Amino acid sequence: MVLTSVEKMVGLQKKTSGIRNICILAHVDHGKTTLADCLISSNGIISSRLAGKLRYLDSREDEQIRGITMKSSAISLHFVKGDQEYLINLIDSPGHVDFSSEVSTAVRLCDGCIIVVDAVEGVCPQTQAVLRQAWLENIRPVLVINKIDRLIVELKLTPQEAYLHLKNILEQVNAITGALFTSKVLEERAEKETESESISDIAPGDQIYDWSAGLEDTDDSHLYFSPDHGNVVFASAIDGWGFGIEHFAKLYSQKIGIKAAVLLKTLWGDYYLNTKAKKIMKGDQSKGKKPLFVQLVLDNIWSLYEAVMKRDKEKIEKIVTSLGLKIGARESRHADPKVHLNAICSQWLPISDAVLSMVCNKLPSPLDITAERVEKLMCVGARTFDSLPPETQELKSAFMKCSSEGTAPVIVFVSKMFAVDAKALPHNKPRPLTQEEIAHRRELAKQRHAEKLAANQGKELSEKPPGENSSEVTGSAGDTKGEEQQLTGQVEIMTSKAMKQEANNKESFIAFARVFSGVVQRGQKIFVLGPKYDPAESLHKLSSQCSATDDLPLVPHMTCCTLENLYLLMGRELEDLEEVPAGNVLGIGGLQDFVLKSATLSTSPACPPFTPLNFEATPIVRVAVEPKHPSDMPQLVKGMKLLNQADPCVQVLIQETGEHVLVTAGEVHLQRCLDDLKERFAKVQISVSAPIIPFRETITRPPKVDMVNEEIGKQQKVAVIHQTKEDQNKIPEGIQVDSDGLVTISTPNKQATLSVRAMPLPEEVTRLLEENSDLIRTMEQLNTSLNEDKKTHEINQKTLDRIKEFKQKLEQNLQGRKWRNAVDQIWSFGPRKCGPNILLYNFESYKKSVWQCLGNAVKEVSKYRDFENSIVSGFQLATLSGPMCEEPLMGVCFTVEKWEMNKVGEMLSISSQDPGECGATEHKQSEDTTLTSGFTDGVYSVNEHQDSSQSVPKSPEKISKHKEDVLLADCYGPFSGQLIATMKEACRYALQAKPQRLMAAMYTCEIMATAEVLGRVYAVLSKREGRVLQEEMKEGTDVFIIKAVLPVAESFGFADEIRKRTSGLASPQLVFSHWEIISSDPFWVPTTEEEYLHFGEKADSENQARKYMNATG
């Protein structure tokens, strides 16, 4: 097909009904990029012979080497179907689990997706993940079952077996869709139930809860994949063929004389053809007949493959003539039968026609965006659509119309920023010269040539003896002038070249975006809305009619920018555009200073920021990076900033130690980030640390049996050679530890005493806290605004219901004598006020609740009020870094059982409640600033104390002021700081009084392997402390699926080792799953006779927990 011009594409962009925004999603190596190649070759961008070999959309060198896609890239294709013309914006996405964040960025911009499934491997872990992502973003999928040639050539299945195998794959895919649908229906029904319960007060005994109710009434037939619906294509992308059953229905309706509509319904399913009666009958299996699909479709494909593979020339010629194809001599004589096969199949059943016509028929245009999807995009966090301001709600109609009128507000979503070499930008590309320019250059060349000749003749004349030529002196003088001019000209050219080269070496960032409403124009001014932008707050300051060109007051999380360049994304190429109407995918240049990773752009300040992208993979692998030559540090810092912007999933941190840390999703992702840093962004030599493995610290209940399974306390203790654990953790003076683990400690100036106890939280509670960290953060924000008496926008009822439900779940899981009233006594969560640890208060005359937002707020005036934040801060610091290896804590509950303050402390809190109350709050702030600046080192300088004491405003009562000074400016630093330090120490000692354990981060690992390499896979897993959870055989194949868990600490090089040991027959997919306690005690030493006999005197076999603990230090 001929190459489509940019002008044609621009014309097609204006017809919104003919646009299809689609992405290709699949598990790794299922053939997404090969399928994309076939579709691209239909537009003449690449040769059809190279389709599948070139992998056009894998434009990075490392993608070509590894053979996997690492980033999502877009291309616009033109497709003609009958008299209809379509513009298809195709996005190819990665299948490797490390790059699932790239899938999220692609899915957000699309209205539909093509799910590709390998006919041999079937549904794999990432297939499930991408189906879930498509479901969450409310986009419609169609299915391509790829690599059917493998069923013929590799597995050597008969057509009947292949049919059953394909049927099985379809059932698996539909089972996943069904599960997603069921969960959604049940969720909606539960919500309706709670609403109706709150309206009608029926006695709880009268209702019988039936879980299946609601599923019968809802129609889900449109969700499932079925060839007779026209949303399934059977294909082999590498051989260039693919078909939907409608192709064969049309073909056979003419031959057999049965209506195409009847054939369409019966070609897939338990139907067979009664040749005598020329009728289609039901029940093929019971009568031992061939199903229609096998008889009319698969048998033909199988016989074609057989003929070509066996080089049966007569049969091939017969097939080719009967199909009316023309095959070139080059293909038919080729040594590789696959080339011949490709030539026949790609003409008979072109895959691009089958897939693109399915896309145009079954996937929606931007005009068909659902109201549900629009509301989901516009509601950030826990807010409902109804709680948004009315001006914002009006924008819903702009989304739904997707109109390109001049009056429509412009709404654009940027899903990621990607780096492009400046040389690849359209204005930097060498363009073809026009005829006039060529003629002009020819003239210049002639002129230069004539000048050279003249100069040479001048030289010859000057070489003659003097006196012969009188004009000689003047000639030579003119010559030197000419030379000078030439030199200056050369210098100018050199500098301009150097400047150009520098500009070309720079990376340009282009925003990968989609227009949801309005027309985007080059040079247009527009608002950039950050993720925390709230239209409700800004609309008080701005009118909804204002535009980005006006002079506007400062609004938080909103800036204005100019859209410098608009690009049409064509895979490796970019084309300049002047304007882009609604419904299109585009690239925007000039946003790198305004957008970090993703953003919402709009001309209306009433537009809310879109909901953040849901990433499947959690970044877990950390490395510290430093330049080989310290002088290169500024380039590295700059490079890391660019990398952070270019990759949607990577995190770049600077730790307290000053190390620059990269946090990535996995080993392959880490390698790609480091390559980018070295070669593109920083362009310096870097040295990379060994991966920094994250751990968590926790405590457990005291064990009942020792290391040799003897009951503790029953056996005889022998003379201890090793120091026991108690001796190791010598507790300093001034700290009392009871037998049951209660730690009592006083502040250095003896003005306050704290008693703290640590207890392990039940596993369910830890899981609950982890899952609801966002909700806890929301609660914290609501409580803060309530405390500061801010006018908060109406607290959303849905959020309150979620908080109530969370509280109920906590109460259900925290039962028993020791957890009595625990939920009501929660003071804070930690670390960072939203982590999986709890701080309780259990002392008299104090009331404080994290459940304030539920309306049971108590304004308590007590002696503790001024210093409660110090206790909470101490708890936050203690949970952020535990005593074993300075890692965060997890699943620990600290209870403050006593907090005594002596008379001077009480006097201070009383004085802060007199008319000088505002002074006390100011003074508190000054303490906090001093704390943050000085406390990290644990040392305070004298002038800091002086500052803190001077900053207290003069109180009307001189006595109390004097006492405040005494209390604050003693030699131990500010009192609030002392409380923080004391609380932190108390928590640490309380933790050490209980059996401590390390928690390791765990990957779930899915490996597909054949029976002959199963033993080797198990050997690698057991060597790396892995644990196999289940092993099942994939139906109809000899492939086993092994599910295992593996510590992240042991996972480096795991994929490579498995590939080496199994000769590439097995490859694992690793996804971060959970934290797991390592059962062994890191401080264990043998103390009983049995342990000495079993482990020896030195207990040399270093346990796993101790090994990890020492590795982190």
Side-chain angles (χ1 to χ4, degrees):
M1 192 177 166
V2 286
L3 202 59
T4 314
S5 68
V6 178
E7 288 73 30
K8 178 79 180 162
M9 291 292 195
V10 170
L12 288 169
Q13 283 189 339
K14 291 179 178 135
K15 295 176 193 161
T16 318
S17 58
I19 297 171
R20 298 287 182 275
N21 295 317
I22 60 162
C23 52
I24 306 181
L25 308 176
H27 186 81
V28 67
D29 286 337
H30 278 201
K32 292 179 296 302
T33 310
T34 307
L35 174 62
D37 266 11
C38 294
L39 303 184
I40 293 165
S41 71
S42 72
N43 265 228
I45 296 169
I46 62 171
S47 151
S48 56
R49 284 182 190 146
L50 289 174
K53 301 176 186 74
L54 189 64
R55 302 207 311 277
Y56 182 73
L57 289 178
D58 286 356
S59 50
R60 294 170 57 99
E61 194 184 341
D62 48 1
E63 286 180 315
Q64 290 286 348
I65 293 166
R66 277 181 185 268
I68 58 170
T69 308
M70 294 186 184
K71 54 149 189 18
S72 44
S73 39
I75 192 161
S76 295
L77 304 175
H78 174 217
F79 179 62
V80 183
K81 188 171 182 258
D83 55 351
Q84 271 281 79
E85 285 191 292
Y86 293 95
L87 173 70
I88 292 168
N89 295 319
L90 177 80
I91 305 175
D92 182 28
S93 63
H96 195 286
V97 67
D98 281 13
F99 305 108
S100 59
S101 57
E102 291 277 350
V103 176
S104 308
T105 62
V107 166
R108 170 61 61 90
L109 304 185
C110 294
D111 301 305
C113 62
I114 300 172
I115 305 281
V116 183
V117 177
D118 185 330
V120 174
E121 291 183 5
V123 174
C124 293
Q126 275 308 100
T127 316
Q128 297 183 20
V130 294
L131 272 166
R132 187 167 60 249
Q133 274 177 309
W135 177 267
L136 288 172
E137 285 284 352
N138 288 44
I139 69 169
R140 199 179 298 166
V142 289
L143 183 68
V144 171
I145 298 181
N146 191 21
K147 303 195 184 183
I148 291 181
D149 60 299
R150 289 182 66 191
L151 300 179
I152 310 170
V153 180
E154 282 179 35
L155 299 187
K156 297 190 168 46
L157 299 183
T158 63
Q160 179 72 34
E161 288 166 344
Y163 168 67
L164 293 171
H165 184 75
L166 293 171
K167 210 169 159 188
N168 191 8
I169 288 174
L170 256 178
E171 279 170 15
Q172 288 174 4
V173 179
N174 285 334
I176 297 165
T177 313
L180 291 165
F181 172 73
T182 310
S183 63
K184 183 192 172 189
V185 171
L186 293 178
E187 219 171 88
E188 281 174 3
R189 187 165 173 271
E191 274 178 29
K192 279 179 193 163
E193 288 283 326
T194 49
E195 280 170 28
S196 59
E197 269 175 31
S198 57
I199 299 161
S200 59
D201 298 324
I202 307 167
D206 300 350
Q207 284 180 307
I208 296 163
Y209 205 79
D210 175 18
W211 280 107
S212 62
L215 282 173
E216 283 81 11
D217 319 332
T218 41
D219 177 35
D220 56 351
S221 57
H222 62 283
L223 291 172
Y224 298 115
F225 299 105
S226 173
D228 51 333
H229 287 173
N231 58 4
V232 179
V233 159
F234 301 95
S236 165
I238 199 77
D239 287 343
W241 61 266
F243 63 88
I245 57 170
E246 58 274 6
H247 174 88
F248 282 97
K250 276 180 203 162
L251 189 79
Y252 284 112
S253 67
Q254 296 157 2
K255 280 195 176 182
I256 307 172
I258 297 171
K259 285 179 188 169
V262 175
L263 272 172
L264 196 61
K265 284 181 182 168
T266 54
L267 254 178
W268 181 264
D270 300 335
Y271 300 98
Y272 72 96
L273 184 67
N274 187 331
T275 41
K276 285 178 186 172
K278 282 208 171 178
K279 276 185 180 174
I280 292 171
M281 318 284 267
K282 202 170 172 41
D284 59 325
Q285 284 178 329
S286 54
K287 294 171 186 168
K289 306 275 183 171
K290 270 187 186 178
L292 266 182
F293 188 71
V294 174
Q295 191 179 351
L296 302 183
V297 181
L298 296 184
D299 276 355
N300 293 324
I301 294 171
W302 256 246
S303 60
L304 170 65
Y305 265 80
E306 193 182 2
V308 176
M309 290 301 178
K310 287 183 178 172
R311 300 288 175 101
D312 187 339
K313 281 187 180 176
E314 285 174 22
K315 196 173 180 184
I316 294 170
E317 274 171 29
K318 196 177 168 188
I319 291 170
V320 170
T321 48
S322 67
L323 292 171
L325 309 176
K326 286 182 181 175
I327 306 298
R330 179 181 174 277
E331 277 84 5
S332 50
R333 289 195 196 123
H334 203 283
D336 184 3
K338 278 275 190 182
V339 174
H340 195 182
L341 195 63
N342 192 322
I344 299 170
C345 292
S346 57
Q347 281 186 47
W348 174 36
L349 301 168
I351 186 170
S352 56
D353 283 4
V355 172
L356 294 178
S357 58
M358 170 173 74
V359 162
C360 296
N361 291 340
K362 291 292 162 191
L363 295 183
S365 75
L367 292 171
D368 305 327
I369 189 167
T370 58
E372 186 188 3
R373 187 176 181 204
V374 171
E375 288 185 15
K376 213 170 176 182
L377 287 176
M378 290 172 80
C379 302
V380 180
R383 295 192 73 167
T384 53
F385 183 71
D386 304 328
S387 69
L388 294 167
E391 296 94 334
T392 304
Q393 291 189 34
E394 281 167 24
L395 289 175
K396 182 181 172 182
S397 61
F399 269 104
M400 301 295 287
K401 282 182 200 160
C402 195
S403 71
S404 301
E405 295 163 15
T407 53
V410 175
I411 301 169
V412 179
F413 181 71
V414 174
S415 75
K416 69 166 187 172
M417 302 291 285
F418 63 97
V420 170
D421 206 346
K423 290 174 199 159
L425 295 177
H427 54 265
N428 291 341
K429 273 187 197 163
R431 59 184 179 79
L433 299 171
T434 60
Q435 287 300 324
E436 292 84 31
E437 283 176 321
I438 292 171
H440 178 62
R441 289 198 176 188
R442 195 180 291 123
E443 286 300 316
L444 280 174
K446 277 181 184 173
Q447 240 175 317
R448 235 175 272 135
H449 187 64
E451 279 170 18
K452 249 187 196 173
L453 282 173
N456 286 344
Q457 280 174 358
K459 272 183 191 173
E460 281 168 22
L461 286 170
S462 63
E463 278 167 15
K464 286 176 186 175
E468 279 182 30
N469 198 341
S470 58
S471 64
E472 173 207 345
V473 183
T474 53
S476 64
D479 215 29
T480 50
K481 266 190 189 171
E483 274 177 29
E484 275 174 28
Q485 281 174 346
Q486 234 176 341
L487 273 169
T488 51
Q490 277 176 343
V491 170
E492 277 173 27
I493 290 163
M494 291 283 280
T495 51
S496 67
K497 267 189 184 174
M499 281 170 76
K500 265 190 184 175
Q501 211 167 0
E502 204 172 298
N504 284 354
N505 284 343
K506 274 182 78 176
E507 292 289 334
S508 277
F509 277 89
I510 290 173
F512 193 40
R514 170 173 167 183
V515 188
F516 281 89
S517 162
V519 179
V520 176
Q521 289 170 338
R522 189 175 178 166
Q524 184 177 16
K525 277 208 141 194
I526 200 163
F527 294 123
V528 180
L529 313 175
K532 289 185 181 173
Y533 172 73
D534 185 2
E537 281 181 26
S538 65
L539 286 171
H540 297 310
K541 299 182 187 176
L542 312 168
S543 76
S544 58
Q545 302 304 316
C546 69
S547 74
T549 48
D550 306 341
D551 273 340
L552 300 170
L554 275 175
V555 175
H557 309 294
M558 179 170 105
T559 52
C560 299
C561 78
T562 307
L563 305 177
E564 287 175 17
N565 295 299
L566 305 179
Y567 300 111
L568 175 69
L569 302 168
M570 291 297 288
R572 304 179 184 192
E573 309 289 320
L574 295 166
E575 301 290 348
D576 263 323
L577 296 174
E578 283 305 313
E579 61 172 40
V580 180
N584 283 291
V585 172
L586 78 158
I588 306 174
L591 287 181
Q592 61 252 51
D593 300 332
F594 302 97
V595 178
L596 179 62
K597 290 178 191 252
S598 66
T600 310
L601 313 178
S602 178
T603 50
S604 162
C607 179
F610 282 26
T611 36
L613 299 163
N614 354 308
F615 291 148
E616 289 277 318
T618 330
I620 190 93
V621 180
R622 297 164 168 252
V623 289
V625 181
E626 60 182 30
K628 284 214 168 138
H629 308 294
S631 58
D632 292 337
M633 197 64 183
Q635 280 111 298
L636 178 68
V637 173
K638 198 171 159 192
M640 285 180 88
K641 274 185 189 164
L642 294 175
L643 174 68
N644 188 28
Q645 194 167 15
D647 193 304
C649 191
V650 77
Q651 291 174 12
V652 173
L653 314 168
I654 298 178
Q655 289 194 320
E656 292 144 13
T657 51
E659 285 178 310
H660 288 74
V661 173
L662 278 184
V663 192
T664 58
E667 244 185 307
V668 185
H669 186 213
L670 171 66
Q671 198 52 54
R672 191 196 81 172
C673 289
L674 292 174
D675 288 348
D676 274 357
L677 203 55
K678 275 184 234 171
E679 286 154 28
R680 290 182 71 181
F681 300 129
K683 292 185 178 157
V684 294
Q685 287 294 307
I686 55 174
S687 49
V688 182
S689 72
I692 306 163
I693 322 289
F695 288 100
R696 295 286 181 267
E697 298 184 23
T698 190
I699 50 174
T700 56
R701 289 183 179 165
K704 298 244 174 16
V705 292
D706 66 7
M707 292 291 278
V708 283
N709 289 341
E710 291 280 336
E711 212 172 312
I712 287 176
K714 291 282 172 75
Q715 343 74 326
Q716 181 132 19
K717 293 257 181 189
V718 293
V720 178
I721 296 170
H722 296 287
Q723 285 184 311
T724 57
K725 189 180 161 189
E726 285 77 26
D727 296 341
Q728 278 179 351
N729 298 342
K730 274 201 173 139
I731 291 154
E733 285 176 36
I735 297 169
Q736 297 168 9
V737 181
D738 294 3
S739 56
D740 60 346
L742 183 72
V743 171
T744 308
I745 184 170
S746 297
T747 53
N749 62 4
K750 305 287 184 280
Q751 301 297 347
T753 307
L754 294 169
S755 293
V756 180
R757 183 194 308 280
M759 287 187 289
L761 282 172
E763 259 180 59
E764 300 79 33
V765 176
T766 312
R767 199 175 305 119
L768 197 63
L769 293 175
E770 269 204 296
E771 285 164 5
N772 290 291
S773 61
D774 289 341
L775 188 64
I776 297 170
R777 201 177 280 119
T778 310
M779 277 166 52
E780 178 63 33
Q781 286 163 359
L782 291 172
N783 290 341
T784 310
S785 53
L786 282 170
N787 288 342
E788 292 171 3
D789 292 331
K790 273 189 189 170
K791 288 281 177 210
T792 52
H793 54 79
E794 196 56 43
I795 297 173
N796 183 347
Q797 190 55 44
K798 206 172 179 183
T799 312
L800 286 180
D801 292 343
R802 282 179 63 208
I803 293 172
K804 278 178 189 162
E805 188 191 346
F806 171 55
K807 189 178 177 185
Q808 280 168 359
K809 281 184 184 169
L810 275 178
E811 280 165 348
Q812 283 164 16
N813 288 316
L814 288 174
Q815 286 182 340
R817 191 170 50 82
K818 63 177 180 178
W819 297 112
R820 195 175 294 140
N821 300 332
V823 177
D824 292 320
Q825 292 176 343
I826 294 176
W827 196 350
S828 179
F829 300 94
R832 299 188 182 89
K833 299 202 174 176
C834 61
N837 303 288
I838 294 180
L839 176 64
L840 303 180
Y841 60 85
N842 194 7
F843 51 91
E844 293 299 314
S845 72
Y846 182 75
K847 267 201 172 71
K848 169 89 182 182
S849 175
V850 287
W851 312 108
Q852 259 176 299
C853 47
L854 293 176
N856 50 3
V858 185
K859 275 280 179 187
E860 186 69 30
V861 177
S862 76
K863 58 181 179 180
Y864 304 118
R865 195 187 70 172
D866 273 359
F867 295 114
E868 61 189 21
N869 278 353
S870 301
I871 298 292
V872 172
S873 300
F875 161 74
Q876 301 296 344
L877 285 171
T879 50
L880 195 58
S881 58
M884 275 197 285
C885 43
E886 300 297 323
E887 292 285 341
L889 302 185
M890 189 170 188
V892 182
C893 169
F894 291 106
T895 314
V896 179
E897 300 209 347
K898 191 172 77 177
W899 179 10
E900 288 178 353
M901 283 168 64
N902 70 7
K903 292 288 178 247
V904 187
E906 285 176 31
M907 294 259 314
L908 172 68
S909 48
I910 293 162
S911 71
S912 69
Q913 287 160 22
D914 61 16
E917 196 161 350
C918 59
T921 53
E922 277 178 40
H923 128 88
K924 168 120 188 33
Q925 284 171 353
S926 73
E927 291 168 355
D928 285 354
T929 50
T930 317
L931 158 80
T932 49
S933 60
F935 189 69
T936 45
D937 306 328
V939 180
Y940 289 88
S941 60
V942 178
N943 48 6
E944 271 176 347
H945 312 166
Q946 287 167 356
D947 290 350
S948 64
S949 58
Q950 283 162 10
S951 64
V952 181
K954 289 187 180 175
S955 165
E957 298 171 15
K958 285 185 181 177
I959 309 153
S960 67
K961 183 192 179 309
H962 176 66
K963 281 184 177 165
E964 278 180 48
D965 283 358
V966 169
L967 190 63
L968 287 165
D970 58 25
C971 60
Y972 301 108
F975 184 55
S976 58
Q978 291 180 44
L979 266 178
I980 291 174
T982 307
M983 179 63 186
K984 183 185 172 188
E985 290 303 301
C987 290
R988 282 196 152 204
Y989 287 121
L991 204 70
Q992 286 171 320
K994 294 287 166 88
Q996 291 170 267
R997 294 289 182 272
L998 266 187
M999 291 180 91
M1002 303 298 274
Y1003 275 138
T1004 48
C1005 163
E1006 299 218 4
I1007 305 169
M1008 295 178 78
T1010 49
E1012 59 263 26
V1013 295
L1014 215 54
R1016 296 177 202 167
V1017 170
Y1018 282 168
V1020 176
L1021 270 170
S1022 60
K1023 176 182 148 190
R1024 290 174 174 264
E1025 310 279 354
R1027 196 172 71 247
V1028 176
L1029 301 177
Q1030 72 179 99
E1031 169 203 298
E1032 54 185 40
M1033 197 168 187
K1034 220 177 198 359
E1035 213 173 312
T1037 63
D1038 60 345
V1039 173
F1040 285 88
I1041 299 173
I1042 302 151
K1043 287 186 179 164
V1045 286
L1046 179 80
V1048 174
E1050 302 285 350
S1051 70
F1052 300 101
F1054 173 71
D1056 287 343
E1057 188 175 357
I1058 278 215
R1059 270 192 219 104
K1060 278 177 196 161
R1061 293 288 296 276
T1062 61
S1063 313
L1065 290 173
S1067 61
Q1069 285 270 319
L1070 299 171
V1071 187
F1072 173 69
S1073 156
H1074 64 288
W1075 296 91
E1076 196 173 280
I1077 295 179
I1078 300 168
S1079 54
S1080 49
D1081 178 359
F1083 298 111
W1084 177 81
V1085 286
T1087 52
T1088 65
E1089 203 166 334
E1090 286 86 352
E1091 286 176 346
Y1092 271 107
L1093 286 169
H1094 193 277
F1095 292 101
E1097 214 168 86
K1098 294 196 173 71
D1100 297 291
S1101 53
E1102 187 180 32
N1103 67 34
Q1104 194 188 357
R1106 191 166 189 88
K1107 185 175 85 182
Y1108 291 154
M1109 193 175 86
N1110 293 340
T1112 57

